[in-house]
Amino acid sequence: TGDTPTAFIQESSCLFDGTNVLEAPDSNSFSFGNGVKDQPFSISCWVKFTSLTNNQVLVAKSSSGFSEWYLFKNTGDGVLRIHLQDIDSSGALGRAAAVSTDTITAGLWYHVAVTYLGNAGESANTTNSNGLKIYINAVDCTDSYATGQYYSAMHNTVANPSIGNFDDEMGSYGLDGNL
């Protein structure tokens, strides 16, 4: 079940309708890797989904061909996922991911936090812990991990940090709810 945030958060949250996105200019402050080594980071937000259709991005630094990381709700199973991407100049892709155990219910507020220790490259080509954790309402809900054999570290790309969708607004990934 969902928790209830303070009245300020409920009244001050942004309502996304699945078609809009908040975007900031590219900044090194939102890049957590240099192609050789990742840096630790955390993401935290309150979210209330209006509907559960489609994949829905909460926050990201990702666009076509320039993906670093993104936190989203998966359509098929209704769980939260965090993906870290390792895309080098040749287009080779490696991915580190974590998946939550808890499914999300529409209409309820959830406090979501993701932490990363910066060490996914050390667990390449395994399903061992890769330093990613997903917390829902302060409970570690990390269910599984996967790190592709080609993952070493995120690259600092030109993708813009965004809220509610990818920065190039891929239609099927828009958030439908409050954040």
Side-chain angles (χ1 to χ4, degrees), residues 96-129:
V99 179
S100 70
T101 54
D102 292 8
T103 57
I104 299 298
T105 302
L108 297 176
W109 281 100
Y110 294 92
H111 182 260
V112 175
V114 172
T115 61
Y116 176 49
L117 297 175
N119 61 345
E122 298 168 12
S123 59
N125 204 27
T126 70
T127 55
N128 298 334
S129 173

PDB file of all heavy atoms in Angstrom, residues 96-129:
ATOM      1  N   ALA A  96      23.368  -2.377 -16.946  1.00  0.00           N
ATOM      2  CA  ALA A  96      23.234  -2.873 -15.588  1.00  0.00           C
ATOM      3  C   ALA A  96      21.823  -2.513 -15.146  1.00  0.00           C
ATOM      4  O   ALA A  96      21.339  -1.414 -15.438  1.00  0.00           O
ATOM      5  CB  ALA A  96      24.263  -2.227 -14.669  1.00  0.00           C
ATOM      6  N   ALA A  97      21.151  -3.411 -14.467  1.00  0.00           N
ATOM      7  CA  ALA A  97      19.759  -3.160 -14.106  1.00  0.00           C
ATOM      8  C   ALA A  97      19.438  -3.763 -12.748  1.00  0.00           C
ATOM      9  O   ALA A  97      20.100  -4.688 -12.284  1.00  0.00           O
ATOM     10  CB  ALA A  97      18.827  -3.756 -15.162  1.00  0.00           C
ATOM     11  N   ALA A  98      18.389  -3.212 -12.140  1.00  0.00           N
ATOM     12  CA  ALA A  98      17.796  -3.786 -10.935  1.00  0.00           C
ATOM     13  C   ALA A  98      16.282  -3.686 -11.083  1.00  0.00           C
ATOM     14  O   ALA A  98      15.768  -2.743 -11.690  1.00  0.00           O
ATOM     15  CB  ALA A  98      18.256  -3.062  -9.676  1.00  0.00           C
ATOM     16  N   VAL A  99      15.570  -4.645 -10.505  1.00  0.00           N
ATOM     17  CA  VAL A  99      14.120  -4.727 -10.609  1.00  0.00           C
ATOM     18  C   VAL A  99      13.543  -4.842  -9.203  1.00  0.00           C
ATOM     19  O   VAL A  99      14.074  -5.567  -8.363  1.00  0.00           O
ATOM     20  CB  VAL A  99      13.704  -5.970 -11.443  1.00  0.00           C
ATOM     21  CG1 VAL A  99      12.196  -6.082 -11.532  1.00  0.00           C
ATOM     22  CG2 VAL A  99      14.335  -5.920 -12.826  1.00  0.00           C
ATOM     23  N   SER A 100      12.427  -4.136  -8.956  1.00  0.00           N
ATOM     24  CA  SER A 100      11.788  -4.211  -7.638  1.00  0.00           C
ATOM     25  C   SER A 100      10.874  -5.425  -7.542  1.00  0.00           C
ATOM     26  O   SER A 100      10.406  -5.951  -8.551  1.00  0.00           O
ATOM     27  CB  SER A 100      10.977  -2.941  -7.359  1.00  0.00           C
ATOM     28  OG  SER A 100       9.822  -2.892  -8.182  1.00  0.00           O
ATOM     29  N   THR A 101      10.601  -5.850  -6.315  1.00  0.00           N
ATOM     30  CA  THR A 101       9.686  -6.963  -6.095  1.00  0.00           C
ATOM     31  C   THR A 101       8.238  -6.485  -6.061  1.00  0.00           C
ATOM     32  O   THR A 101       7.350  -7.195  -6.493  1.00  0.00           O
ATOM     33  CB  THR A 101       9.967  -7.648  -4.744  1.00  0.00           C
ATOM     34  OG1 THR A 101       9.927  -6.660  -3.710  1.00  0.00           O
ATOM     35  CG2 THR A 101      11.293  -8.346  -4.753  1.00  0.00           C
ATOM     36  N   ASP A 102       8.000  -5.325  -5.520  1.00  0.00           N
ATOM     37  CA  ASP A 102       6.637  -4.838  -5.316  1.00  0.00           C
ATOM     38  C   ASP A 102       6.056  -4.257  -6.589  1.00  0.00           C
ATOM     39  O   ASP A 102       6.720  -3.506  -7.295  1.00  0.00           O
ATOM     40  CB  ASP A 102       6.599  -3.764  -4.226  1.00  0.00           C
ATOM     41  CG  ASP A 102       6.919  -4.332  -2.857  1.00  0.00           C
ATOM     42  OD1 ASP A 102       7.320  -5.499  -2.773  1.00  0.00           O
ATOM     43  OD2 ASP A 102       6.750  -3.604  -1.871  1.00  0.00           O
ATOM     44  N   THR A 103       4.805  -4.606  -6.880  1.00  0.00           N
ATOM     45  CA  THR A 103       4.118  -3.996  -8.009  1.00  0.00           C
ATOM     46  C   THR A 103       3.442  -2.710  -7.534  1.00  0.00           C
ATOM     47  O   THR A 103       3.080  -2.568  -6.365  1.00  0.00           O
ATOM     48  CB  THR A 103       3.067  -4.943  -8.616  1.00  0.00           C
ATOM     49  OG1 THR A 103       2.152  -5.326  -7.592  1.00  0.00           O
ATOM     50  CG2 THR A 103       3.728  -6.175  -9.211  1.00  0.00           C
ATOM     51  N   ILE A 104       3.282  -1.790  -8.455  1.00  0.00           N
ATOM     52  CA  ILE A 104       2.708  -0.480  -8.162  1.00  0.00           C
ATOM     53  C   ILE A 104       1.211  -0.514  -8.436  1.00  0.00           C
ATOM     54  O   ILE A 104       0.757  -1.156  -9.387  1.00  0.00           O
ATOM     55  CB  ILE A 104       3.393   0.582  -9.057  1.00  0.00           C
ATOM     56  CG1 ILE A 104       4.894   0.627  -8.773  1.00  0.00           C
ATOM     57  CG2 ILE A 104       2.748   1.939  -8.911  1.00  0.00           C
ATOM     58  CD1 ILE A 104       5.262   1.023  -7.375  1.00  0.00           C
ATOM     59  N   THR A 105       0.437   0.188  -7.627  1.00  0.00           N
ATOM     60  CA  THR A 105      -1.006   0.313  -7.796  1.00  0.00           C
ATOM     61  C   THR A 105      -1.336   1.756  -8.162  1.00  0.00           C
ATOM     62  O   THR A 105      -0.801   2.684  -7.546  1.00  0.00           O
ATOM     63  CB  THR A 105      -1.735  -0.074  -6.486  1.00  0.00           C
ATOM     64  OG1 THR A 105      -1.367  -1.414  -6.139  1.00  0.00           O
ATOM     65  CG2 THR A 105      -3.239   0.024  -6.633  1.00  0.00           C
ATOM     66  N   ALA A 106      -2.196   1.943  -9.128  1.00  0.00           N
ATOM     67  CA  ALA A 106      -2.605   3.292  -9.528  1.00  0.00           C
ATOM     68  C   ALA A 106      -3.376   3.972  -8.393  1.00  0.00           C
ATOM     69  O   ALA A 106      -4.096   3.321  -7.630  1.00  0.00           O
ATOM     70  CB  ALA A 106      -3.474   3.235 -10.780  1.00  0.00           C
ATOM     71  N   GLY A 107      -3.195   5.294  -8.271  1.00  0.00           N
ATOM     72  CA  GLY A 107      -3.955   6.084  -7.314  1.00  0.00           C
ATOM     73  C   GLY A 107      -3.348   6.185  -5.930  1.00  0.00           C
ATOM     74  O   GLY A 107      -3.895   6.870  -5.075  1.00  0.00           O
ATOM     75  N   LEU A 108      -2.244   5.510  -5.679  1.00  0.00           N
ATOM     76  CA  LEU A 108      -1.586   5.559  -4.376  1.00  0.00           C
ATOM     77  C   LEU A 108      -0.256   6.296  -4.491  1.00  0.00           C
ATOM     78  O   LEU A 108       0.447   6.175  -5.505  1.00  0.00           O
ATOM     79  CB  LEU A 108      -1.325   4.150  -3.837  1.00  0.00           C
ATOM     80  CG  LEU A 108      -2.540   3.279  -3.551  1.00  0.00           C
ATOM     81  CD1 LEU A 108      -2.096   1.880  -3.122  1.00  0.00           C
ATOM     82  CD2 LEU A 108      -3.428   3.908  -2.498  1.00  0.00           C
ATOM     83  N   TRP A 109       0.125   7.019  -3.463  1.00  0.00           N
ATOM     84  CA  TRP A 109       1.423   7.679  -3.423  1.00  0.00           C
ATOM     85  C   TRP A 109       2.482   6.688  -2.953  1.00  0.00           C
ATOM     86  O   TRP A 109       2.242   5.890  -2.039  1.00  0.00           O
ATOM     87  CB  TRP A 109       1.404   8.855  -2.441  1.00  0.00           C
ATOM     88  CG  TRP A 109       0.758  10.083  -2.994  1.00  0.00           C
ATOM     89  CD1 TRP A 109      -0.521  10.515  -2.763  1.00  0.00           C
ATOM     90  CD2 TRP A 109       1.364  11.049  -3.847  1.00  0.00           C
ATOM     91  NE1 TRP A 109      -0.741  11.678  -3.441  1.00  0.00           N
ATOM     92  CE2 TRP A 109       0.399  12.047  -4.109  1.00  0.00           C
ATOM     93  CE3 TRP A 109       2.627  11.168  -4.425  1.00  0.00           C
ATOM     94  CZ2 TRP A 109       0.664  13.140  -4.921  1.00  0.00           C
ATOM     95  CZ3 TRP A 109       2.892  12.258  -5.226  1.00  0.00           C
ATOM     96  CH2 TRP A 109       1.922  13.234  -5.467  1.00  0.00           C
ATOM     97  N   TYR A 110       3.652   6.757  -3.579  1.00  0.00           N
ATOM     98  CA  TYR A 110       4.791   5.934  -3.201  1.00  0.00           C
ATOM     99  C   TYR A 110       6.026   6.823  -3.090  1.00  0.00           C
ATOM    100  O   TYR A 110       6.245   7.692  -3.934  1.00  0.00           O
ATOM    101  CB  TYR A 110       5.084   4.855  -4.255  1.00  0.00           C
ATOM    102  CG  TYR A 110       4.000   3.833  -4.388  1.00  0.00           C
ATOM    103  CD1 TYR A 110       2.981   4.002  -5.317  1.00  0.00           C
ATOM    104  CD2 TYR A 110       3.993   2.701  -3.592  1.00  0.00           C
ATOM    105  CE1 TYR A 110       1.974   3.057  -5.449  1.00  0.00           C
ATOM    106  CE2 TYR A 110       2.999   1.746  -3.715  1.00  0.00           C
ATOM    107  CZ  TYR A 110       1.988   1.933  -4.644  1.00  0.00           C
ATOM    108  OH  TYR A 110       0.997   0.995  -4.768  1.00  0.00           O
ATOM    109  N   HIS A 111       6.816   6.580  -2.055  1.00  0.00           N
ATOM    110  CA  HIS A 111       8.126   7.215  -1.996  1.00  0.00           C
ATOM    111  C   HIS A 111       9.115   6.215  -2.584  1.00  0.00           C
ATOM    112  O   HIS A 111       9.237   5.086  -2.119  1.00  0.00           O
ATOM    113  CB  HIS A 111       8.530   7.578  -0.566  1.00  0.00           C
ATOM    114  CG  HIS A 111       9.847   8.277  -0.540  1.00  0.00           C
ATOM    115  ND1 HIS A 111      11.009   7.624  -0.211  1.00  0.00           N
ATOM    116  CD2 HIS A 111      10.184   9.549  -0.854  1.00  0.00           C
ATOM    117  CE1 HIS A 111      12.016   8.483  -0.315  1.00  0.00           C
ATOM    118  NE2 HIS A 111      11.550   9.649  -0.707  1.00  0.00           N
ATOM    119  N   VAL A 112       9.787   6.628  -3.651  1.00  0.00           N
ATOM    120  CA  VAL A 112      10.716   5.760  -4.372  1.00  0.00           C
ATOM    121  C   VAL A 112      12.125   6.325  -4.230  1.00  0.00           C
ATOM    122  O   VAL A 112      12.335   7.527  -4.396  1.00  0.00           O
ATOM    123  CB  VAL A 112      10.335   5.682  -5.868  1.00  0.00           C
ATOM    124  CG1 VAL A 112      11.363   4.881  -6.645  1.00  0.00           C
ATOM    125  CG2 VAL A 112       8.945   5.098  -6.028  1.00  0.00           C
ATOM    126  N   ALA A 113      13.059   5.475  -3.913  1.00  0.00           N
ATOM    127  CA  ALA A 113      14.461   5.882  -3.851  1.00  0.00           C
ATOM    128  C   ALA A 113      15.295   4.800  -4.518  1.00  0.00           C
ATOM    129  O   ALA A 113      15.012   3.606  -4.395  1.00  0.00           O
ATOM    130  CB  ALA A 113      14.916   6.086  -2.414  1.00  0.00           C
ATOM    131  N   VAL A 114      16.310   5.243  -5.241  1.00  0.00           N
ATOM    132  CA  VAL A 114      17.269   4.345  -5.877  1.00  0.00           C
ATOM    133  C   VAL A 114      18.647   4.755  -5.405  1.00  0.00           C
ATOM    134  O   VAL A 114      18.961   5.950  -5.366  1.00  0.00           O
ATOM    135  CB  VAL A 114      17.193   4.442  -7.411  1.00  0.00           C
ATOM    136  CG1 VAL A 114      18.319   3.669  -8.064  1.00  0.00           C
ATOM    137  CG2 VAL A 114      15.846   3.957  -7.905  1.00  0.00           C
ATOM    138  N   THR A 115      19.463   3.790  -5.028  1.00  0.00           N
ATOM    139  CA  THR A 115      20.852   4.075  -4.674  1.00  0.00           C
ATOM    140  C   THR A 115      21.754   3.212  -5.542  1.00  0.00           C
ATOM    141  O   THR A 115      21.378   2.116  -5.973  1.00  0.00           O
ATOM    142  CB  THR A 115      21.143   3.784  -3.190  1.00  0.00           C
ATOM    143  OG1 THR A 115      20.912   2.397  -2.920  1.00  0.00           O
ATOM    144  CG2 THR A 115      20.268   4.637  -2.281  1.00  0.00           C
ATOM    145  N   TYR A 116      22.934   3.745  -5.788  1.00  0.00           N
ATOM    146  CA  TYR A 116      23.918   3.018  -6.600  1.00  0.00           C
ATOM    147  C   TYR A 116      25.299   3.255  -6.009  1.00  0.00           C
ATOM    148  O   TYR A 116      25.687   4.390  -5.768  1.00  0.00           O
ATOM    149  CB  TYR A 116      23.851   3.495  -8.053  1.00  0.00           C
ATOM    150  CG  TYR A 116      24.893   2.886  -8.954  1.00  0.00           C
ATOM    151  CD1 TYR A 116      25.129   1.516  -8.986  1.00  0.00           C
ATOM    152  CD2 TYR A 116      25.646   3.687  -9.795  1.00  0.00           C
ATOM    153  CE1 TYR A 116      26.082   0.964  -9.819  1.00  0.00           C
ATOM    154  CE2 TYR A 116      26.608   3.146 -10.647  1.00  0.00           C
ATOM    155  CZ  TYR A 116      26.823   1.776 -10.654  1.00  0.00           C
ATOM    156  OH  TYR A 116      27.770   1.235 -11.473  1.00  0.00           O
ATOM    157  N   LEU A 117      26.039   2.169  -5.791  1.00  0.00           N
ATOM    158  CA  LEU A 117      27.366   2.251  -5.185  1.00  0.00           C
ATOM    159  C   LEU A 117      28.475   2.594  -6.183  1.00  0.00           C
ATOM    160  O   LEU A 117      29.601   2.858  -5.786  1.00  0.00           O
ATOM    161  CB  LEU A 117      27.709   0.931  -4.491  1.00  0.00           C
ATOM    162  CG  LEU A 117      26.798   0.538  -3.332  1.00  0.00           C
ATOM    163  CD1 LEU A 117      27.172  -0.845  -2.808  1.00  0.00           C
ATOM    164  CD2 LEU A 117      26.865   1.572  -2.234  1.00  0.00           C
ATOM    165  N   GLY A 118      28.152   2.555  -7.478  1.00  0.00           N
ATOM    166  CA  GLY A 118      29.155   2.884  -8.486  1.00  0.00           C
ATOM    167  C   GLY A 118      30.016   1.724  -8.917  1.00  0.00           C
ATOM    168  O   GLY A 118      31.058   1.923  -9.520  1.00  0.00           O
ATOM    169  N   ASN A 119      29.578   0.495  -8.648  1.00  0.00           N
ATOM    170  CA  ASN A 119      30.451  -0.649  -8.905  1.00  0.00           C
ATOM    171  C   ASN A 119      29.875  -1.699  -9.853  1.00  0.00           C
ATOM    172  O   ASN A 119      30.295  -2.845  -9.821  1.00  0.00           O
ATOM    173  CB  ASN A 119      30.824  -1.310  -7.578  1.00  0.00           C
ATOM    174  CG  ASN A 119      29.606  -1.834  -6.838  1.00  0.00           C
ATOM    175  OD1 ASN A 119      28.477  -1.486  -7.156  1.00  0.00           O
ATOM    176  ND2 ASN A 119      29.843  -2.660  -5.828  1.00  0.00           N
ATOM    177  N   ALA A 120      28.951  -1.354 -10.718  1.00  0.00           N
ATOM    178  CA  ALA A 120      28.327  -2.353 -11.594  1.00  0.00           C
ATOM    179  C   ALA A 120      29.328  -2.998 -12.542  1.00  0.00           C
ATOM    180  O   ALA A 120      29.184  -4.169 -12.897  1.00  0.00           O
ATOM    181  CB  ALA A 120      27.176  -1.747 -12.382  1.00  0.00           C
ATOM    182  N   GLY A 121      30.337  -2.259 -12.980  1.00  0.00           N
ATOM    183  CA  GLY A 121      31.332  -2.827 -13.881  1.00  0.00           C
ATOM    184  C   GLY A 121      32.048  -4.027 -13.303  1.00  0.00           C
ATOM    185  O   GLY A 121      32.523  -4.899 -14.041  1.00  0.00           O
ATOM    186  N   GLU A 122      32.109  -4.112 -11.980  1.00  0.00           N
ATOM    187  CA  GLU A 122      32.771  -5.232 -11.319  1.00  0.00           C
ATOM    188  C   GLU A 122      31.952  -6.520 -11.378  1.00  0.00           C
ATOM    189  O   GLU A 122      32.468  -7.594 -11.107  1.00  0.00           O
ATOM    190  CB  GLU A 122      33.066  -4.871  -9.862  1.00  0.00           C
ATOM    191  CG  GLU A 122      34.011  -3.692  -9.726  1.00  0.00           C
ATOM    192  CD  GLU A 122      34.067  -3.154  -8.305  1.00  0.00           C
ATOM    193  OE1 GLU A 122      33.569  -3.811  -7.372  1.00  0.00           O
ATOM    194  OE2 GLU A 122      34.612  -2.051  -8.141  1.00  0.00           O
ATOM    195  N   SER A 123      30.654  -6.409 -11.711  1.00  0.00           N
ATOM    196  CA  SER A 123      29.809  -7.601 -11.759  1.00  0.00           C
ATOM    197  C   SER A 123      29.330  -7.883 -13.187  1.00  0.00           C
ATOM    198  O   SER A 123      28.292  -8.490 -13.385  1.00  0.00           O
ATOM    199  CB  SER A 123      28.619  -7.442 -10.811  1.00  0.00           C
ATOM    200  OG  SER A 123      27.852  -6.305 -11.166  1.00  0.00           O
ATOM    201  N   ALA A 124      30.095  -7.443 -14.184  1.00  0.00           N
ATOM    202  CA  ALA A 124      29.714  -7.649 -15.585  1.00  0.00           C
ATOM    203  C   ALA A 124      29.465  -9.125 -15.886  1.00  0.00           C
ATOM    204  O   ALA A 124      30.145 -10.008 -15.382  1.00  0.00           O
ATOM    205  CB  ALA A 124      30.798  -7.099 -16.508  1.00  0.00           C
ATOM    206  N   ASN A 125      28.427  -9.337 -16.702  1.00  0.00           N
ATOM    207  CA  ASN A 125      28.047 -10.668 -17.172  1.00  0.00           C
ATOM    208  C   ASN A 125      27.588 -11.584 -16.042  1.00  0.00           C
ATOM    209  O   ASN A 125      27.813 -12.789 -16.079  1.00  0.00           O
ATOM    210  CB  ASN A 125      29.193 -11.317 -17.956  1.00  0.00           C
ATOM    211  CG  ASN A 125      28.685 -12.380 -18.916  1.00  0.00           C
ATOM    212  OD1 ASN A 125      27.549 -12.307 -19.373  1.00  0.00           O
ATOM    213  ND2 ASN A 125      29.513 -13.354 -19.216  1.00  0.00           N
ATOM    214  N   THR A 126      26.928 -11.012 -15.028  1.00  0.00           N
ATOM    215  CA  THR A 126      26.412 -11.816 -13.920  1.00  0.00           C
ATOM    216  C   THR A 126      25.014 -11.346 -13.541  1.00  0.00           C
ATOM    217  O   THR A 126      24.526 -10.326 -14.015  1.00  0.00           O
ATOM    218  CB  THR A 126      27.288 -11.686 -12.656  1.00  0.00           C
ATOM    219  OG1 THR A 126      27.119 -10.371 -12.106  1.00  0.00           O
ATOM    220  CG2 THR A 126      28.758 -11.945 -12.947  1.00  0.00           C
ATOM    221  N   THR A 127      24.392 -12.088 -12.653  1.00  0.00           N
ATOM    222  CA  THR A 127      23.144 -11.653 -12.025  1.00  0.00           C
ATOM    223  C   THR A 127      23.389 -11.400 -10.539  1.00  0.00           C
ATOM    224  O   THR A 127      22.461 -11.417  -9.740  1.00  0.00           O
ATOM    225  CB  THR A 127      22.033 -12.709 -12.202  1.00  0.00           C
ATOM    226  OG1 THR A 127      22.501 -13.959 -11.704  1.00  0.00           O
ATOM    227  CG2 THR A 127      21.635 -12.848 -13.668  1.00  0.00           C
ATOM    228  N   ASN A 128      24.648 -11.172 -10.175  1.00  0.00           N
ATOM    229  CA  ASN A 128      25.010 -10.853  -8.802  1.00  0.00           C
ATOM    230  C   ASN A 128      24.638  -9.406  -8.494  1.00  0.00           C
ATOM    231  O   ASN A 128      24.414  -8.605  -9.394  1.00  0.00           O
ATOM    232  CB  ASN A 128      26.511 -11.031  -8.574  1.00  0.00           C
ATOM    233  CG  ASN A 128      26.956 -12.454  -8.788  1.00  0.00           C
ATOM    234  OD1 ASN A 128      26.174 -13.386  -8.641  1.00  0.00           O
ATOM    235  ND2 ASN A 128      28.204 -12.627  -9.163  1.00  0.00           N
ATOM    236  N   SER A 129      24.644  -9.045  -7.232  1.00  0.00           N
ATOM    237  CA  SER A 129      24.402  -7.669  -6.845  1.00  0.00           C
ATOM    238  C   SER A 129      25.371  -6.755  -7.587  1.00  0.00           C
ATOM    239  O   SER A 129      26.561  -7.012  -7.644  1.00  0.00           O
ATOM    240  CB  SER A 129      24.594  -7.505  -5.339  1.00  0.00           C
ATOM    241  OG  SER A 129      24.508  -6.144  -4.991  1.00  0.00           O
TER     242      SER A 129
END
